[in-house]
Amino acid sequence: MKAEQKSLFDTDAPPWQLDAAAEQYVAQVAVAAGPVGVLDYVVPEAMRDEVQIGTRVRVPLGRGNRRVTGYCVGLQNVCGTTRRLKNILQVVDGRRLLSPAMLRLTKWMSDYYLCPLGQVLETVVPAGVRGSAGTRQTTILSVPPAVRAGLRDLKLPKKQAAVLEILSRQGTPMTPAQLAEAAGCTTAPISALRRKGLIASQVQRLRHQPLETADQPVEPYRELNDQQHVALQHILKVLRGGRHETILMQGVTGSGKTEVYMHAIREVVSYGRQAIVLVPEISLTPQTVSRFRKRFGAVAVLHSHLSDVQRHGHWEQIASGTVPVPVIVGARSAVFAPTPHLGLIVIDEEHENSFKQETAPRYHAREVARQRAIDEQIPLVLGSATPSLESYYRAERGEYLRVRLPHRVENRPLPAVNTIDLRTADAERYSRGAISRQLHIAIEQALSDGGQVILLLNRRGFSTHIQCPSCGKPVTCPQCEIGLTHHKHQRQAICHYCDYRTRVPDRCPHCNFSGVRFLGKGTQKLEEEVASRFPNYQCLRMDTDSMQRPGSHEGALARFRQGEVQILLGTQMIAKGLDFPNVTLVGVINADSALHLPDFRAEERTFQLLTQVAGRTGRGPRGGHVVVQTLQPEHPAIQAAVAHDYEAFAAHELPTRKLLGYPPYGAMIRIVVRSSQADHGIALAGQLAEQLQLSADEQRVALRRIGPAPAPFAKLRGKHRFALQLLGREPDGLRSVVRQATKGLKTPGDAQWIVDVDPLDML
Ligand code: ADP
Ligand code: ZN
C-alpha cells in the first residue's frame, strides 16, 4: 500500500545536505484520489497538537502539488531520514473522524478487498460527516476564570471594560456578534481584549437542527419458547464471556429469530453497551424499525435515503456517547456505526446479496462485521432460514457456532408447497395467461375464505422481450446489447440495466417489418391478468417501477396489512421478511426464471427465493399453502424448497462446488475489464491474464483461472466487458498475486479494470 514519493526528491538539494540526525515528525496520510495508498508527510511544528491519527489534513500531491484531502492514519518520529518529505499544509477537522478501532477495521478492508485505504475511508465516513452537514462553525467567547477573579483590578479603556463586564456577567459563552450587540459596540474592543488574552475564544460546531426524539419503549418481551431459549443461552454465554464467536442462527421462517435478537440486545443494553442490527435495505421498513423502537426507545436508523444532515446527526449522536443510542438498525453501511461501546452485532437475513457493496470498496458487511466483532471481542449473530453456503460451510467446519430453530413459533406448521408442472399444465389452461388453472382455483378459494394472496413474478415490465417474427432479431439496448422490456403503462421500451428508454417500436429496427411481437410476462401484464380474472378484489403491484416515490413501499404494505388490498403481486421485493398473518396463499408464477443464469449461485438464489416467499404464508392461525409453477418440478433446488429442506439443498449443491473449487471451498477474485473499444478491453484483459500467471508462478500460488472471456453481459452502458475469475485454496495467496499483477499496469485508451474479492455478481 505504501508508495514512495520518488518524484519528491529535490534534485538541487543533495541528500547529504540533510541533517541526518534531525528528527522529523511524520504523518502517514491516506488520500482518496488516485491509485496511491498511503504517503508520508512532515507535520510542521505548529500543527503538532492538532494532527492526530484520525483527523483529516490537506496535503500537496504529485509533481503539480495538487492540494488534496487525506486522513492521517499514522504518526511517528523518524530519525536520520534521507528522504525529503513535503509538509502537511493544513488540518481540516478540529477532531478525529476515526477511532483507533475503526482505523484498524478500514486497514483490514483495504488489505482484504484490495482497495486503497483512502477510498475505503471515503466510504466508511459518510459525506455528511466529512462536510459536517447541518452544523456551522462558530467562534464563542468566554472570560477565563483567572481574569474574572481579578476583574476589578484591571485598568482598561471604557469600551473594553464594558465588554468584559457584560461577558463575565453573562456566564455562558457568546459569539462575537452577540457580545458586540449586547455591549452596543463594534467588534474592535472585543478583538483588542482577545489579543490581550483577557477573553478566551474557541471554535465550535453548532448544530442547526435538533435530532428527532425517540419513542418511549413500551412493548413487553415475549416469553421465549424452548428452542428460542436455547439459542439465546448460546449468545449470552459468548456475551458474558467477553469474547468473540460468530453464531449462525439457522431458523425457519417465522421461528422467532427476531425475538431472540431482541432478548440478546436487552442484555447488551443492560451493560450500558450498544448493538448494531443489520437488515437488508428492502426490509428496513417503518414496521421493522418500530419493532425495535418499541423495545429500546432511542434507535438510530441508518439507510441510504438519509440526507447528509440526518446521517451526520445520527453519526454524532452515536459517537458522542452522551445521548445514549442503545441500538442502531441499518442497512449494509451501518456496520460502520461509530459506537463507542459496541457489545453485539446482528445480521438478519445474512444470505441477502444487498449486504455486498457493488462499487469500490466491494465489501461484504458480513465479513466486515466479523472482523469488527473479532477486534472488539463481541459476538456476531447471523440469522437466516436459508444461510449462504459460505456461512453454512463455516458452521459445518466449526468456525461458527450453530444454533437451530427448526420449528415455527407456537408450533405453527410450515406451509404445504405444491408444484404445478407448466409443461403439462399448458394444455389445461383457461387462457394463455400466466396463471394456470390450478393456481386460479387456489386463489379463488383463498379469497372467498377471506384470506389474502401473494403472487411472485420476478420480472418487471409488461412484456419481457420484444422480437421481430420476420428476421427473428430482438430489440436491444444500443448501450447494453440487452433485450428491451416493454413497459405498457409508460408506453416505452426500457433497458433494465442502464434505464435507456425509447418509444415502443412498431417496426423492426433491423428489417423494418411491421408487427414486432411482445413476448414474455412481466409484473404489469400479470397485474392486468389478475384484475380481469378477479375483478371483485383489489390487487396491488409492487416492483421498482411502482415503488419509486418515497414512502410508496410503506403505503402499499399498510394497505395490504389493513386488508384494503387482497392480492399483492410483485418481484422479489415482496418475498422477503413480510409478516402478514392473513396471507393464506403464496403463488409463484415462474420458479425457474433465475435457475439457468450463467452464475454458479443461480440454484442457491432460486432455492433461497422460493423458501423465503413460501415463508410469507401460514404465519397466522389460519395456516396457508404455496403453489409453485415450474417447468422443472424435479429440479433438486425446487424439490428442496418444496420440502422446506435446507440440508437437502446443501447436500445437493456442496459437492458440485467442491468439485469445481468454487466458494465455499475456495476463494474467488473476479476481475472485470471495461472499455468503450473492444480491442482495448481485450488487450488489457490479456495483459492482466499474463501478469497474473507470472505472479502466480513467481509466488508459487496454485490457482485456477477462468477467462478472460466476454462477461455474460458483454456490453453495458456503452462499455465492452471482459471478465476473468481466479480460484484458489489460499485467499491470501490469491490476493497477493492480484496485488503484484496489477501494480503499475498500463491501461490502453479508456480501458479500466476493477477487482472484486468474493464476488457475488457474476454477470
Ligand atoms: P423470524 O424472524 O424467525 O421470521 P419473528 O421473530 O418475526 O420470526 O417471529 C414471527 C412471529 O412470531 C412474530 O409475529 C413474533 O412476534 C412472534 N413470536 C416470536 N416469538 C414468539 C414467542 N416466543 N411466542 C409467541 N409468539 C412469538
Ligand atoms: Zn441499456
Side-chain angles (χ1 to χ4, degrees):
M1 286 308 321
K2 210 161 130 188
E4 298 279 318
Q5 286 186 330
K6 291 208 186 65
S7 63
L8 303 181
F9 282 106
D10 207 342
T11 43
D12 56 23
W16 63 84
Q17 283 189 0
L18 288 170
D19 182 357
E23 206 181 54
Q24 280 184 311
Y25 192 45
V26 174
Q28 281 90 53
V29 179
V31 291
V36 282
V38 180
L39 301 169
D40 287 348
Y41 288 91
V42 172
V43 183
E45 197 59 43
M47 294 181 200
R48 282 206 164 212
D49 294 337
E50 280 176 284
V51 176
Q52 291 177 20
I53 293 177
T55 52
R56 284 185 308 157
V57 292
R58 298 282 285 170
V59 291
L61 183 69
R63 279 181 204 281
N65 284 332
R66 193 157 55 92
R67 289 167 157 247
V68 296
T69 302
Y71 287 81
C72 171
V73 296
L75 284 166
Q76 69 194 120
N77 276 308
V78 180
C79 244
T81 177
T82 51
R83 284 195 299 157
R84 223 172 173 197
L85 301 175
K86 297 184 199 176
N87 280 359
I88 288 178
L89 302 172
Q90 193 192 335
V91 179
V92 180
D93 316 281
R95 57 191 178 133
R96 337 155 129 227
L97 293 182
L98 287 168
S99 64
M102 204 50 84
L103 196 59
R104 287 194 295 277
L105 188 68
T106 49
K107 281 182 173 167
W108 174 86
M109 284 175 70
S110 165
D111 190 54
Y112 187 91
Y113 291 107
L114 301 169
C115 182
L117 182 57
Q119 219 173 332
V120 174
L121 291 170
E122 208 78 346
T123 297
V124 168
V125 182
V129 175
R130 278 181 264 129
S132 292
T135 66
R136 68 206 139 89
Q137 213 160 28
T138 316
T139 305
I140 53 160
L141 307 174
S142 58
V143 183
V147 176
R148 195 191 298 255
L151 208 58
R152 250 170 288 148
D153 307 329
L154 286 171
K155 292 260 173 299
L156 289 170
K158 224 172 101 200
K159 272 284 170 204
Q160 292 182 22
V163 167
L164 202 55
E165 168 79 33
I166 288 169
L167 185 61
S168 62
R169 245 193 297 129
Q170 174 74 16
T172 54
M174 294 170 95
T175 66
Q178 287 167 335
L179 182 55
E181 197 189 315
C185 66
T186 63
T187 52
I190 301 173
S191 306
L193 287 166
R194 285 171 70 179
R195 277 195 301 274
K196 291 176 189 170
L198 297 172
I199 288 183
S201 64
Q202 207 186 354
V203 177
Q204 269 196 356
R205 288 206 165 270
L206 299 182
R207 194 177 299 290
H208 284 317
Q209 209 185 321
L211 286 173
E212 56 190 282
T213 50
D215 311 348
Q216 282 306 304
V218 284
E219 202 175 70
Y221 284 81
R222 286 173 194 279
E223 196 165 324
L224 297 183
N225 61 31
D226 289 350
Q227 64 174 14
Q228 286 172 312
H229 186 74
V230 170
L232 178 67
Q233 290 314 313
H234 275 108
I235 301 171
L236 294 185
K237 200 168 150 201
V238 178
L239 199 60
R240 289 170 185 162
R243 57 194 172 93
H244 165 74
E245 185 99 55
T246 300
I247 298 151
L248 177 62
M249 209 156 94
Q250 195 176 330
V252 297
T253 54
S255 56
K257 296 185 287 295
T258 311
E259 197 63 36
V260 178
Y261 308 150
M262 301 233 217
H263 279 256
I265 295 168
R266 176 163 68 166
E267 171 119 352
V268 167
V269 172
S270 77
Y271 305 155
R273 299 180 78 175
Q274 297 164 295
I276 296 176
V277 182
L278 302 185
V279 301
E281 181 90 45
I282 207 167
S283 314
L284 204 51
T285 58
Q287 282 82 4
T288 309
V289 174
S290 91
R291 253 181 114 174
F292 285 93
R293 284 232 164 102
K294 280 182 191 157
R295 299 281 174 87
F296 303 107
V299 172
V301 183
L302 299 174
H303 56 78
S304 63
H305 305 303
L306 288 181
S307 70
D308 280 356
V309 174
Q310 289 170 317
R311 190 178 295 276
H312 180 220
H314 286 329
W315 182 275
E316 293 281 320
Q317 195 174 336
I318 294 164
S320 75
T322 48
V323 192
V325 183
V327 181
I328 296 95
V329 179
R332 181 175 69 221
S333 64
V335 72
F336 305 120
T339 47
H341 313 291
L342 190 59
L344 173 70
I345 308 178
V346 173
I347 305 185
D348 191 30
E349 310 290 0
E350 67 89 33
H351 64 278
E352 278 284 317
N353 285 350
S354 66
F355 288 121
K356 167 104 172 160
Q357 177 154 298
E358 291 300 346
T359 54
R362 295 180 166 73
Y363 71 91
H364 197 299
R366 183 179 58 222
E367 298 309 314
V368 176
R370 179 142 192 266
Q371 195 57 35
R372 191 168 175 188
I374 291 170
D375 187 68
E376 305 197 21
Q377 285 296 295
I378 56 168
L380 165 66
V381 176
L382 307 176
S384 177
T386 52
S388 62
L389 286 174
E390 283 81 355
S391 294
Y392 177 81
Y393 180 68
R394 285 182 182 175
E396 289 286 292
R397 290 174 31 127
E399 285 172 55
Y400 293 173
L401 186 72
R402 177 172 19 216
V403 292
R404 292 181 202 266
L405 286 80
H407 308 291
R408 284 188 158 181
V409 294
E410 295 179 334
N411 279 321
R412 286 177 200 139
L414 283 161
V417 184
N418 300 312
T419 53
I420 291 170
D421 190 339
L422 288 179
R423 293 168 301 197
T424 56
D426 251 350
E428 324 165 18
R429 284 195 197 182
Y430 281 148
S431 70
R432 294 183 46 77
I435 296 173
S436 67
R437 183 159 178 261
Q438 295 98 310
L439 181 55
H440 180 105
I441 293 168
I443 297 173
E444 211 162 43
Q445 187 70 47
L447 293 173
S448 65
D449 290 347
Q452 287 173 299
V453 176
I454 286 180
L455 297 177
L456 172 76
L457 175 60
N458 218 3
R459 296 276 181 83
R460 61 196 178 91
F462 193 84
S463 302
T464 51
H465 37 282
I466 309 172
Q467 204 168 13
C468 172
S470 174
C471 73
K473 284 185 183 155
V475 178
T476 57
C477 170
Q479 300 287 315
C480 305
E481 291 175 5
I482 278 170
L484 296 179
T485 299
H486 175 211
H487 285 240
K488 196 173 175 187
H489 301 280
Q490 293 97 323
R491 294 207 185 84
Q492 282 175 324
I494 302 178
C495 171
H496 280 185
Y497 294 89
C498 72
D499 210 37
Y500 166 85
R501 285 155 192 261
T502 184
R503 216 172 45 81
V504 177
D506 38 37
R507 285 177 175 278
C508 171
H510 308 285
C511 72
N512 210 29
F513 175 81
S514 81
V516 284
R517 289 226 181 110
F518 300 95
L519 306 161
K521 301 168 192 80
T523 46
Q524 293 182 357
K525 195 180 222 169
L526 179 64
E527 185 182 23
E528 260 189 32
E529 185 179 336
V530 169
S532 77
R533 281 175 187 264
F534 307 100
N536 300 326
Y537 295 94
Q538 284 296 314
C539 165
L540 189 106
R541 173 169 59 90
M542 251 173 79
D543 53 33
T544 45
D545 295 314
S546 69
M547 296 294 132
Q548 284 194 337
R549 277 175 297 109
S552 47
H553 190 240
E554 290 81 54
L557 293 180
R559 288 178 62 201
F560 192 57
R561 189 179 301 279
Q562 285 148 19
E564 227 177 280
V565 167
Q566 293 83 37
I567 306 169
L568 180 67
L569 71 88
T571 54
Q572 54 174 334
M573 207 179 250
I574 62 168
K576 318 271 170 86
L578 306 179
D579 186 11
F580 298 114
N582 199 37
V583 172
T584 53
L585 174 70
V586 164
V588 178
I589 301 300
N590 183 358
D592 10 46
S593 62
L595 203 48
H596 302 293
L597 289 174
D599 178 340
F600 72 93
R601 289 193 183 86
E603 297 188 11
E604 186 178 2
R605 302 239 167 88
T606 298
F607 171 75
Q608 286 168 345
L609 183 61
L610 289 179
T611 308
Q612 294 292 340
V613 75
R616 299 312 113 216
T617 185
R619 297 176 79 90
R622 308 171 67 126
H625 71 126
V626 184
V627 172
V628 175
Q629 301 190 142
T630 169
L631 285 164
Q632 267 182 292
E634 70 285 353
H635 192 287
I638 291 177
Q639 288 278 312
V642 166
H644 305 288
D645 193 345
Y646 180 92
E647 307 298 328
F649 172 71
H652 155 75
E653 180 68 10
L654 284 174
T656 319
R657 299 276 181 96
K658 188 173 186 180
L659 189 71
L660 299 171
Y662 280 137
Y665 291 93
M668 185 184 239
I669 295 182
R670 184 171 195 242
I671 300 178
V672 178
V673 169
R674 297 183 291 218
S675 174
S676 50
Q677 275 175 275
D679 50 351
H680 286 160
I682 291 168
L684 179 56
Q687 197 188 334
L688 264 165
E690 206 172 292
Q691 289 301 324
L692 287 164
Q693 202 54 59
L694 283 174
S695 309
D697 292 346
E698 200 179 304
Q699 300 187 24
R700 294 167 192 272
V701 172
L703 58 78
R704 186 157 78 89
R705 198 184 76 223
I706 305 173
F713 289 148
K715 193 178 172 195
L716 285 183
R717 297 183 175 89
K719 297 274 168 81
H720 297 273
R721 302 168 80 244
F722 302 88
L724 50 95
Q725 274 91 242
L726 301 175
L727 291 160
R729 293 194 68 83
E730 313 150 64
D732 291 334
L734 220 50
R735 249 189 294 284
S736 156
V737 166
V738 174
R739 207 176 277 128
Q740 187 185 340
T742 53
K743 196 178 280 174
L745 202 68
K746 295 268 183 299
T747 53
D750 70 346
Q752 291 173 316
W753 45 267
I754 61 118
V755 176
D756 192 352
V757 176
D758 304 337
L760 286 185
D761 179 5
M762 305 303 296
L763 304 176

